[in-house]
Amino acid sequence: MGRIAATLLLLMLSCASAQAHSAARGFVMLLPTGYVILGGTLAVFASFAVASLLNAGPSHRYLGKHLPPERWPVFPSLISAVLLALLIWIGLLGPHDPAENLLPLTIWTLWWVVLVLLHPIFGNLWAKLNPFCGVHALLNRVLGGRLEPPPLRMPDGLAYWPALLMFAAFAWFQLVDAGPQDPPRLAFIVALYAAATLLAVVICGPSAWLGKGDPFGVFLAQLGAAAPLTRAGMRLPGAGLLLLAPLPIAGTLFVLLTLSSISFDGFANTFVWLAAIGVNPLDYPGRTALIAANTRGLVASFLALSVLFIAAVTCGWLWAGRPGRLLPLVGRFVFSLIPISIVYHFAHYLGDTLLTLQYLALALNDPLGSGADFLGLAHVHVTASFQNTASGAFVLFTAQTSAIILGHLVAVFVAHEMATDTGLCRLEILRLEIPLACFMVLYTAFGLWLLATPAIS
């Protein structure tokens, strides 16, 4: 026994250090993540080099075109309104366990992950499924058409500011608040948002408020613009972003906030962040104790991303000889970050969503916790075993890293087309693009590092 113990001790002391990777925040495996990060960043850099060799010209005219507004029946919207009311009722009176209550499972999984990720594929589904347009149309009919035109016109100077402030509140509630999953608490927040949004839609009109005032209407419309499937047929992913008008400063900050919040959500769980705020990952104190620190981190991440992006565009603009006005250029280039936001959303939530979808199915089987068995799933148990094997963790990590790299490649393509659209010569286009390309390469490395670095669940 003594020889065996000595041998084991010698083997442990002679082992070289290894890099650990936390896949889906659950299984630690050994992967050459440094090579993955390097390869991903080099791929994005190479895509920029290839794009810079393309002939200058507005090639996006072959990739998409403006389509007239599509009128949809109000029935789907009314169904959504009924379902929303039902979910709020279940949140108040249903099971108190968030893993068994339909409201948090629907809001945080089915809506904020699944529905959001359908937009970059099929377009702006929220324009048809939101619960407000149908109620507005019904009220307008009851009032004899008095809501068209809307009672008040939304001032141009107000555009996107409500969306920015409301998304900041949403991000804080989701990422920092102690109980975003608590069913009664979430029911109150959802009901408050629904009532305020319906009032704004009635006052300003659905098109104005959902297009420039509501954070989710704005966010999902931007994601939908990147979709390859349109009524006019197929187009390259991200091509629809080239058709959008430049955003004002509030709209630009809104896009940056949506990206920085999802990035901080991943960063806040890393050992690096926890060490920076003096928290031992093995003795995690819970979200309540970290409210102040995470609030500062959320704000700092937004400010850092905003400064870096605007500085990158400004440097390119100065280097290219100050072509045109700076703010419209910033407001247009910011759309090139939408593909990055999409893939970060996918990569960040992939592991948790595969788990919570199982809880959602069981909650649908017994929505009020009364012992019902509507779907015959009473004897089914949630499993996370696929995340706790080497093969499962490897598949998840591969899907996440591949998505991040592809998203950045699309972002480089969109940014190049936007730079080409300025009508500058090839050298000026190159100077305009290089600082932004460097920003995207660094952000690729950061996103891949977030997936590779150890983090708490």
Side-chain angles (χ1 to χ4, degrees), residues 271-295:
F271 288 7
V272 172
W273 171 250
L274 294 176
I277 60 177
V279 173
N280 182 358
L282 301 179
D283 189 24
Y284 187 71
R287 288 172 63 119
T288 303
L290 303 182
I291 286 178
N294 284 343
T295 299

Side-chain angles (χ1 to χ4, degrees), residues 423-438:
L424 302 174
C425 70
R426 187 184 292 268
L427 179 60
E428 291 171 331
I429 291 174
L430 189 62
R431 290 175 174 175
L432 185 64
E433 285 184 280
I434 285 178
L436 185 57
C438 292

Side-chain angles (χ1 to χ4, degrees), residues 38-327:
L38 178 62
T41 53
L42 288 178
V44 174
F45 176 78
S47 69
F48 163 72
V50 171
S52 65
L53 297 176
L54 297 177
N55 292 327
S59 61
H60 71 264
R61 66 176 179 267
Y62 302 111
L63 308 176
K65 61 182 181 180
H66 285 288
L67 295 172
E70 187 176 7
R71 295 190 64 85
W72 287 82
V74 300
F75 184 71
S77 179
L78 289 174
I79 292 296
S80 294
V82 173
L83 291 177
L84 180 60
L86 181 61
L87 286 171
I88 293 173
W89 179 67
I90 292 176
L92 293 172
L93 302 178
H96 288 284
D97 186 348
E100 298 177 359
N101 192 290
L102 270 177
L103 179 64
L105 290 170
T106 301
I107 294 297
W108 298 124
T109 300
L110 195 60
W111 178 72
W112 186 237
V113 179
V114 176
L115 182 62
V116 165
L117 291 176
L118 289 178
H119 280 69
I121 302 173
F122 300 105
N124 189 7
L125 301 174
W126 189 240
K128 313 157 186 72
L129 299 177
N130 75 79
F132 310 109
C133 290
V135 176
H136 175 270
L138 187 61
L139 289 173
N140 187 53
R141 174 173 293 188
V142 171
L143 297 175
R146 296 178 183 176
L147 298 181
E148 290 184 356
L152 293 178
R153 180 181 177 275
M154 185 175 177
D156 293 336
L158 188 63
Y160 297 104
W161 286 110
L164 175 65
L165 297 176
M166 291 173 67
F167 194 90
F170 167 78
W172 186 91
F173 176 69
Q174 182 198 15
L175 307 180
V176 179
D177 185 78
Q181 298 276 357
D182 180 62
R185 187 181 183 86
L186 182 59
F188 173 77
I189 295 296
V190 172
L192 182 63
Y193 160 75
T197 302
L198 182 58
L199 179 62
V201 165
V202 169
I203 294 175
C204 300
S207 178
W209 185 257
L210 297 179
K212 295 184 178 181
D214 175 62
F216 308 113
V218 173
F219 178 62
L220 294 175
Q222 292 172 347
L223 298 193
L229 301 178
T230 71
R231 287 181 287 142
M234 292 282 294
R235 64 187 179 191
L236 292 179
L241 297 169
L242 303 170
L243 306 174
L244 301 179
L247 290 170
I249 186 63
T252 299
L253 294 176
F254 175 84
V255 175
L256 293 168
L257 177 61
T258 59
L259 180 56
S260 67
S261 62
I262 190 69
S263 298
F264 178 73
D265 193 10
F267 182 65
N269 291 325
T270 64
F271 288 7
V272 172
W273 171 250
L274 294 176
I277 60 177
V279 173
N280 182 358
L282 301 179
D283 189 24
Y284 187 71
R287 288 172 63 119
T288 303
L290 303 182
I291 286 178
N294 284 343
T295 299
R296 292 192 295 269
L298 184 62
V299 173
S301 64
F302 167 64
L303 294 177
L305 181 64
S306 300
V307 169
L308 289 174
F309 172 76
I310 294 174
V313 178
T314 303
C315 288
W317 176 74
L318 292 171
W319 195 12
R322 302 186 179 187
R325 295 169 54 213
L326 176 60
L327 286 182

Side-chain angles (χ1 to χ4, degrees), residues 237-239 241-242 333 335-337 339 409-419:
L241 297 169
L242 303 170
F333 270 130
F335 286 123
S336 66
L337 301 182
L409 294 179
V410 173
V412 167
F413 156 75
V414 172
H416 174 71
E417 288 295 316
M418 289 177 175

